[in-house]
Amino acid sequence: MTHNTAALHDLTVAQLAAQLRERKVSAVETAQHFLARARANASLGAFLDINEEVTLAQARAADVALAAGTSSAAQGLLGVPVAHKDIFVTRDFVSTAGSKMLAGYRSPFDATVVAKLAEQGVVTLGKLNCDEFAMGSANENSAFGPVHNPWDTTRTPGGSSGGSAAAVAARLAPAATGTDTGGSIRQPASFCGITGIKPTYGRASRYGMVAFASSLDQAGPMARTAEDCALLLSAMCGPDPDRDSTSLDVPAEDFTRSLNDGVSGLRIGVPKEFFGEGLAPDVRAAVDAALKEYEKLGATLVPISLPHTELSIPVYYVIAPAEASSNLSRFDGVKFGHRADKYTDLIDMYKKTRAEGFGDEVKRRIMIGAYVLSHGYYDAYYLQAQKIRRMIADDFQQAFKLCDVIAGPVAPTVAWKLGGHGNDPLADYLADIFTLPGSLAGLPGMSMPVGFGAGHMPVGMQLIGNYLKEAKLLNVAHRFQQATDWHAAKPEGF
Ligand code: GLN
């Protein structure tokens, strides 16, 4: 097959899948093209592991299936390369979760999300950098170095799925997986000018996702368009009762089915708490313009209130560290990964292993978590946070009586400079204000590009839907992307 592969990386997943099906390009050529791009742009820091042999073997298998035309890949992802956030364990690639604790770790199995995509004939391109155990908002907490934003390499790509967002924005992969505990799909998607969706909590199996905060963690796709996200999400979701007890008993859905529904008459809730003082004027201007565009498309804007928005920061930063401190107890030098070289006895081995293996932010959260769960403080912090979490979820249910979807900014500012928050973890925490409420409520949320702000950095708009309304969110985003071309903008040099 001879084909000019020069612009393969500019194709969307949907376009690429069609070219593969029509045999205009082979899966092997496609994989080689993206592997070459990943290698040539290694300085972005997006990839943590590449294994050309494995990738090309998968691509060859996809080509055989494509040639036979016998694929059962209903979603038509056969031969499309996707890279995975390194929080998903994989048999054929190293799985580190961005931590020295798991440097060089090989899992005996694939995470369910990875396996489900593989079943559809998706070719794995490699593993993507992320904040250590997905804790962070800037990808600066990775033990393997930061990721650079392709729009301005002196800036953060966001976090914790920073490698995923940077790889997709720089066209090193047509799409990637991410995980979102408190915003880690939506915020990096926003910072890198791509589209990403976090489904309803429990939609995608958490089996094989290295656990951060189990009551919040959720997997989702990151790509350039809502249509691509719909294709991938359809393959990623579905019940997994034997392996994830919190997975929802809701059948996998074809999220592409209603992409083209009209948005005329759609009621878009605009929460006043998302447009207060803390919102930078450049971000506000882009989000306002997108809301106007929706009005042109026939939607109505409805003022709503999510009164407990501000409390989502303290609530999240109690609950997430509490769950993390428990989840991370498994890294003790015995079961997985790193073990200190020199120690005197078992307790000393635990201490030295954990002191060496974990980075500062992870240690900070383990300490906060252990503190809020400890006798005497449990009621004052953890239990209190759980109660407010319920109130935050109730706010959304009140709001959804008035509107079909909620729209607002993803983050208060565009991507900041790497190192820009210095050693101030609070500055990172505060920037999560608009993504945390939806996470605490377990609602589906997405980010899509709606313009540019200061420094010509991308601005994302967040869309939040009620439980299981992913198809609606993707439809609402797709209609916007049909009417505008922000999603097609491309960073210079890529
Ligand atoms: N920025 C948030 C945190 O640091 C969210 C991270 C995430 O969603 N994984 O915890």
Side-chain angles (χ1 to χ4, degrees), residues 280-323:
D282 55 329
V283 174
R284 182 176 186 135
V287 173
D288 280 344
L291 291 172
K292 288 224 170 67
E293 182 65 39
Y294 273 115
E295 282 186 304
K296 272 203 256 161
L297 295 173
T300 335
L301 305 184
V302 184
I304 59 159
S305 174
L306 298 170
H308 297 97
T309 295
E310 248 181 58
L311 288 177
S312 64
I313 297 174
V315 167
Y316 174 87
Y317 281 100
V318 166
I319 292 175
E323 295 183 16

Side-chain angles (χ1 to χ4, degrees), residues 134-137 160 179-184 212 316-317 365 432:
M135 299 178 192
S137 309
S160 64
T179 61
D180 192 311
T181 302
S184 282
F212 163 13
Y316 174 87
Y317 281 100
R365 297 202 190 191
D432 291 341

Side-chain angles (χ1 to χ4, degrees), residues 383-442:
L383 219 56
Q384 208 53 20
Q386 293 289 19
K387 289 181 187 161
I388 303 170
R389 180 177 190 176
R390 166 53 69 87
M391 290 159 75
I392 291 168
D394 288 345
D395 285 353
F396 281 105
Q397 291 316 306
Q398 290 305 319
F400 283 125
K401 287 180 185 159
L402 305 172
C403 62
D404 306 304
V405 297
I406 293 172
V410 175
T413 65
V414 295
W416 54 85
K417 293 271 183 189
L418 285 164
H421 284 177
N423 280 330
D424 181 10
L426 270 186
D428 277 10
Y429 299 175
L430 293 173
D432 291 341
I433 177 133
F434 303 134
T435 50
L436 297 180
S439 295
L440 289 162

Side-chain angles (χ1 to χ4, degrees), residues 213-384:
S214 310
S215 77
L216 294 151
D217 296 344
Q218 212 20 229
M222 301 171 78
R224 299 215 303 277
T225 65
E227 182 186 24
D228 287 358
C229 285
L231 282 165
L232 287 153
L233 189 65
S234 304
M236 291 165 72
C237 292
D240 193 13
D242 298 336
R243 289 165 162 174
D244 174 1
S245 61
T246 59
S247 103
L248 292 172
D249 188 18
V250 180
E253 221 177 289
D254 175 7
F255 294 109
T256 62
R257 72 182 189 284
S258 52
L259 280 176
N260 289 308
D261 286 2
V263 293
S264 170
L266 180 83
R267 298 167 305 162
I268 301 181
V270 184
K272 67 167 189 276
E273 292 79 3
F274 282 32
F275 291 84
E277 257 174 52
L279 182 62
D282 55 329
V283 174
R284 182 176 186 135
V287 173
D288 280 344
L291 291 172
K292 288 224 170 67
E293 182 65 39
Y294 273 115
E295 282 186 304
K296 272 203 256 161
L297 295 173
T300 335
L301 305 184
V302 184
I304 59 159
S305 174
L306 298 170
H308 297 97
T309 295
E310 248 181 58
L311 288 177
S312 64
I313 297 174
V315 167
Y316 174 87
Y317 281 100
V318 166
I319 292 175
E323 295 183 16
S325 73
S326 163
N327 275 326
L328 297 183
S329 64
R330 75 192 65 181
F331 298 104
D332 57 4
V334 179
K335 303 183 198 78
F336 306 92
H338 181 73
R339 177 185 294 179
D341 271 345
K342 294 195 184 73
Y343 47 86
T344 52
D345 56 17
L346 183 64
I347 298 293
D348 191 47
M349 191 275 281
Y350 288 159
K351 283 187 182 164
K352 292 213 166 94
T353 294
R354 289 168 68 84
E356 292 169 10
F358 292 137
D360 288 349
E361 182 60 24
V362 172
K363 286 176 184 160
R364 183 178 298 119
R365 297 202 190 191
I366 291 173
M367 286 191 282
I368 295 171
Y371 180 83
V372 299
L373 289 176
S374 61
H375 184 71
Y377 294 107
Y378 183 88
D379 288 8
Y381 296 107
Y382 186 71
L383 219 56
Q384 208 53 20

Side-chain angles (χ1 to χ4, degrees), residues 5-11 29-47 50 52 125 150 166-174 224 490-494:
T5 56
L8 267 185
H9 53 273
D10 285 325
L11 301 177
E29 283 171 323
T30 305
Q32 276 166 339
H33 180 77
F34 281 101
L35 286 172
R37 286 186 66 78
R39 255 187 256 105
N41 292 285
S43 62
L44 281 178
F47 278 84
I50 286 177
E52 187 165 328
L125 269 184
V168 173
R171 276 89 171 135
L172 312 186
R224 299 215 303 277
K490 181 175 164 176
E492 229 180 275
F494 296 99

